[in-house]
């Protein structure tokens, strides 16, 4: 049965997401690309100047964030990770201090065990790393379809960055009213300023 998924923008996004995920699944040189993206990110002035960074704990086809998290901790930065609430599709970020403060919430998805002492408010972050599958140069993004980040970014006024490879950047992403673009995209070859 075909699920009703809204207007043409939503249908296009669904198709573009599926197509890109298929391409990403076929990539062979992932670790080289990951190395190029990570190196470029840690060389940005935003990274260097940031003390509190909101990450996600990458899984599946997402570009590795585990190395970046370790690097941030090594540099003495404060790392936070999201706890998702599927009921209202909201997120809360908690400070990450090691694997012991994570729990396996779904398949291979790990999230912080809620702990009020470690809660970090949205705008305390110096920047937020935002996941996505397809992007355009204006920073519009197709995520994984949950709307978690679009909801979170509504009340977020700090810089946002996404990581991707050049192939994930297309000319135009159909926009829906709730979509919020990211400020920068770091790829294997460039830093795209989306403003
Ligand atoms: N601010 C919001 N308020 C209410 N519903 C929202 C909001 N943002 C997104 N949604 C809903 O979430 C669903 C998924 O949105 P969308 O397809 O843009 O996901 P996405 O951008 O891929 O996900 P994410 O933001 O988690 O990366 C849509 O049905 C949309 O209506
Ligand atoms: Mg969206």
């Amino acid at each position: 049965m075909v699920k009703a998924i809204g207007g043409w923008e939503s249908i296009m996004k669904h198709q573009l997401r599926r197509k890109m995920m298929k391409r990403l699944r076929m990539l062979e040189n992932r670790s080289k690309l990951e190395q190029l993206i990570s190196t470029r990110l840690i060389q940005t002035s935003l990274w260097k100047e940031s003390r509190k960074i909101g990450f996600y704990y990458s899984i599946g086809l997402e570009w590795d964030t585990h190395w970046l998290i370790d690097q941030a901790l090594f540099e003495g930065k404060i790392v936070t990770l999201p706890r998702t609430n599927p009921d209202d599709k909201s997120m809360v970020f908690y400070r990450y201090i090691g694997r012991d403060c994570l729990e396996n919430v779904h398949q291979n998805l790990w999230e912080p065990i809620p702990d009020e002492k470690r809660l970090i408010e949205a705008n305390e972050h110096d920047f937020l790393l935002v996941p996505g599958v397809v992007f355009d140069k204006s920073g519009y993004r197709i995520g994984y379809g949950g709307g978690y980040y679009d909801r979170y970014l509504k009340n977020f006024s700090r810089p946002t960055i996404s990581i991707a490879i050049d192939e994930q950047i297309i000319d135009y992403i159909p926009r829906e009213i709730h979509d919020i673009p990211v400020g920068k995209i770091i790829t294997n070859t460039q830093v795209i300023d989306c403003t």
Side-chain angles (χ1 to χ4, degrees):
M1 196 179 78
V2 179
K3 215 172 112 198
I5 45 174
W8 71 269
E9 294 91 350
S10 163
I11 293 165
M12 286 288 296
K13 282 161 72 177
H14 186 75
Q15 288 175 350
L16 287 165
R17 180 187 295 117
R18 221 175 42 183
K19 214 166 119 188
M20 188 60 74
M21 286 177 83
K22 196 169 161 194
R23 279 175 78 171
L24 291 173
R25 232 174 265 127
M26 280 161 36
L27 280 179
E28 280 170 1
N29 54 341
R30 280 190 70 96
S31 57
K32 178 69 194 161
L33 293 165
E34 257 153 6
Q35 200 186 328
L36 290 167
I37 295 167
S38 300
T39 315
R40 198 172 303 282
L41 174 57
I42 67 167
Q43 283 167 356
T44 59
S45 50
L46 189 51
W47 174 280
K48 289 180 186 163
E49 289 158 12
S50 291
R51 209 181 116 57
K52 250 180 224 175
I53 305 175
F55 287 90
Y56 49 92
Y57 209 66
S58 61
I59 53 165
L61 294 172
E62 290 170 332
W63 298 106
D64 183 55
T65 60
H66 302 186
W67 184 87
L68 287 167
I69 289 169
D70 288 344
Q71 178 65 22
L73 292 173
F74 175 74
E75 292 181 26
K77 299 181 191 298
I78 292 173
V79 167
T80 74
L81 289 174
R83 176 84 193 192
T84 56
N85 178 352
D87 296 336
D88 60 2
K89 300 203 185 301
S90 65
M91 296 194 290
V92 175
F93 282 70
Y94 293 99
R95 184 172 178 177
Y96 169 79
I97 47 171
R99 288 239 3 162
D100 287 354
C101 64
L102 298 184
E103 66 181 347
N104 188 209
V105 291
H106 178 68
Q107 290 180 356
N108 53 348
L109 185 64
W110 291 77
E111 293 191 349
I113 299 164
D115 178 347
E116 289 309 303
K117 293 191 302 294
R118 301 206 182 116
L119 191 147
I120 308 279
E121 298 292 347
N123 292 318
E124 282 182 56
H125 290 97
D126 293 310
F127 79 82
L128 186 70
L129 198 67
V130 178
V133 183
V134 198
F135 302 87
D136 66 22
K137 287 194 171 172
S138 303
Y140 281 91
R141 152 192 93 78
I142 300 175
Y144 289 86
Y148 284 91
Y149 276 86
D150 282 318
R151 284 180 181 84
Y152 194 76
L153 293 177
K154 238 172 65 173
N155 300 311
F156 187 77
S157 53
R158 308 291 302 149
T160 48
I161 297 188
S162 287
I163 52 176
I165 56 170
D166 288 331
E167 282 181 69
Q168 286 172 275
I169 317 292
I170 65 167
D171 286 343
Y172 184 79
I173 302 267
R175 300 162 189 187
E176 294 182 275
I177 193 88
H178 60 265
D179 284 321
I180 298 180
V182 291
K184 273 188 209 308
I185 307 168
I186 315 283
T187 80
N188 46 317
T189 67
Q190 57 186 323
V191 175
I192 303 170
D193 272 306
C194 306
T195 42

